[in-house]
Amino acid sequence: MLAGGGARGAYEIGALSTLLGQLEEDERPQILVGTSVGAINAAYLAATADQSPTQQGDGGRDLWMKISYGRVLRPLLSLSEGARLWSYLREVLGSRSAHTKSVLDPAPLSSTLSELIAFEQIHANVRAKRLVTAAVVATSGRTNMSVVFHDGGRSPSVDARRGISYVKTQLTEDHVRASAAIPLLFPAVPIDARRGRRWYFDGGTRLNAPIKPALTLGARRLIVIALNSLAPTKDVRAERQPDALDGATQLIQAVLIDPLVNDVHTLATVNELLHDDSEDKIREHERRTDRRRVPYILIAPQDPLEVGRIATEVYRRHYDSPFALMRSPSMSVLGHAVNAASSSTHGELLSYLLFAEEFTERLIELGRRDAARWLAETHDHGRWQVGRLA
């Protein structure tokens, strides 16, 4: 299960490249579910399910090293971005003809995904039973429900209580772009034009941690790669009043972290309640409540601001200078816009759009480190945890 976080997705590949090589054959993921940028990694892993873990890890690193700013977004200092800004200003001033779809233009992403991921191989791997299911999560612009697009397996009924529906289909780059379409920054993506255009946004806005869909699709164990630490943030701003950008970071953390923390705690609590029951009682509980004991692996950064700190360091070293403004104007302008050089909380904001080779390399190494730490620690059953983390 892969969560979201824009340019931070390289962390997931780093973690998985270390983890997959250590798992037994029957422990390798057979159900892949990704949301937001995790959809890119889920699609890549599904398309390469016929490869060895080493090949997948090396290929995943190559994929992310090729995902530069220009291959995701059009330049900030361009005619298209100028037209978007003008449209937005007209809309603010009350023009009825103005219609601003997004702040940024991710037009290059479509061809980039098509080039880097063999989407047709996803369905081939499902048909060859190398995978049970590959899925990505998007948010419906019409109903605000989380929609799980999945290749393989049966389509579960609508989960009205949680606001989740399931659509069986062959995954394409459109589904991945929809799952990663961060509201406001990226435009909504149309899917299934044959039934009338339906528009979708980032799946992480409603379901950043798709634990429930993974279980509903049949997962008996979970590997969760999270791009944000589950530890509480220490008050590093006590000496000054938080500014507006600090507040924006808190808002993003609330959307991305709190649901994941709650879902993992709920999973571990259910596991503990069933721990001492007999197999007959466990099966009866599963039948009555649709809940079961699910061992899990959870890999995430230890420090809540570690990724932001890395983003700040990379920005200061490579993009915070007059020369960088000429060499990489978009990265330089973005960093100045969020004042990324000032603190790690501001760096957190930049990290979601810092599609830069230097940042990618650091995140891959961070993911490898955190996966190695999990493997070195003692858990309830070998590599798998059942109860709550200490």
Side-chain angles (χ1 to χ4, degrees):
M1 195 201 77
L2 304 169
R8 301 151 72 106
Y11 175 91
E12 294 174 339
I13 287 297
L16 287 166
S17 66
T18 296
L19 180 63
L20 293 179
Q22 299 298 315
L23 297 178
E24 301 296 335
E25 185 66 28
D26 64 347
E27 293 178 314
R28 290 188 65 182
Q30 292 296 301
I31 297 173
L32 296 167
V33 184
T35 186
S36 195
V37 75
I40 296 177
N41 289 328
Y44 164 75
L45 292 171
T48 57
D50 56 325
Q51 299 180 10
S52 70
T54 300
Q55 290 174 314
Q56 285 187 301
D58 292 343
R61 183 185 185 282
D62 290 343
L63 178 148
W64 272 97
M65 294 304 292
K66 293 175 181 176
I67 300 181
S68 61
Y69 186 95
R71 301 197 71 182
V72 176
L73 297 161
R74 283 185 172 159
L76 283 177
L77 304 179
S78 64
L79 290 177
S80 64
E81 285 300 330
R84 285 170 183 268
L85 177 60
W86 173 239
S87 175
Y88 174 71
L89 291 175
R90 288 172 57 221
E91 195 167 356
V92 169
L93 293 172
S95 172
R96 294 184 179 181
S97 62
H99 179 59
T100 309
K101 297 178 181 178
S102 64
V103 173
L104 302 175
D105 184 358
L109 183 58
S110 179
S111 59
T112 298
L113 290 175
S114 296
E115 175 190 338
L116 298 180
I117 300 175
F119 284 93
E120 69 282 355
Q121 190 61 33
I122 296 176
H123 188 63
N125 284 333
V126 171
R127 291 187 62 184
K129 301 188 184 304
R130 300 185 187 101
L131 283 175
V132 174
T133 308
V136 301
V137 183
T139 302
S140 169
R142 183 171 63 91
T143 66
N144 291 328
M145 290 185 69
S146 297
V147 181
V148 182
F149 295 101
H150 64 100
D151 191 339
R154 64 176 182 83
S155 249
S157 57
V158 174
D159 186 342
R161 185 166 68 88
R162 296 178 179 85
I164 305 173
S165 63
Y166 297 82
V167 176
K168 189 171 184 178
T169 186
Q170 292 188 30
L171 296 181
T172 68
E173 55 91 11
D174 286 341
H175 298 100
V176 172
R177 286 192 302 114
S179 182
I182 302 172
L184 181 63
L185 295 181
F186 295 174
V189 176
I191 293 178
D192 202 0
R194 291 173 300 176
R195 298 168 55 190
R197 279 196 165 186
R198 297 184 180 181
W199 299 87
Y200 295 88
F201 285 110
D202 192 318
T205 59
R206 298 265 174 188
L207 197 64
N208 187 58
I211 289 178
K212 180 58 180 175
L215 297 177
T216 301
L217 290 168
R220 307 297 295 188
R221 291 184 290 202
L222 286 177
I223 297 174
V224 181
I225 311 296
L227 303 181
N228 302 79
S229 172
L230 271 66
T233 302
K234 296 180 180 179
D235 187 4
V236 297
R237 301 177 302 279
E239 70 281 2
R240 65 174 177 84
Q241 181 180 7
D243 59 25
L245 293 174
D246 292 326
T249 300
Q250 289 295 317
L251 179 61
I252 292 174
Q253 298 276 21
V255 172
L256 296 182
I257 298 177
D258 292 351
L260 176 59
V261 172
N262 294 335
D263 286 351
V264 171
H265 284 174
T266 299
L267 177 70
T269 299
V270 172
N271 287 345
E272 290 178 342
L273 290 173
L274 295 174
H275 183 67
D276 295 326
D277 285 347
S278 66
E279 290 301 320
D280 288 341
K281 286 185 177 180
I282 290 174
R283 283 194 292 270
E284 175 62 19
H285 177 87
E286 290 179 1
R287 186 187 64 79
R288 287 188 297 102
T289 67
D290 194 32
R291 288 185 172 180
R292 57 183 180 272
R293 189 167 54 190
V294 181
Y296 64 93
I297 291 173
L298 173 62
I299 299 175
Q302 284 185 300
D303 182 349
L305 293 177
E306 188 162 18
V307 174
R309 190 175 302 114
I310 292 172
T312 295
E313 292 172 2
V314 168
Y315 176 73
R316 286 173 178 168
R317 185 173 303 173
H318 300 282
Y319 299 99
D320 186 22
S321 70
F323 174 73
L325 181 60
M326 294 184 290
R327 178 176 58 88
S328 304
S330 294
M331 294 281 44
S332 183
V333 169
L334 274 176
H336 282 292
V338 299
N339 196 15
S342 66
S343 70
S344 55
T345 54
H346 290 198
E348 278 283 309
L349 293 178
L350 178 63
S351 71
Y352 291 90
L353 293 173
L354 189 55
F355 294 100
E357 180 179 322
E358 301 87 356
F359 188 52
T360 296
E361 288 181 335
R362 295 282 300 274
L363 287 187
I364 290 173
E365 289 306 314
L366 180 63
R368 288 173 174 165
R369 185 206 70 184
D370 290 337
R373 185 184 70 248
W374 178 277
L375 292 169
E377 292 173 346
T378 300
H379 301 287
D380 295 328
H381 295 290
R383 304 176 182 90
W384 300 90
Q385 183 72 10
V386 175
R388 284 169 287 190
L389 297 169

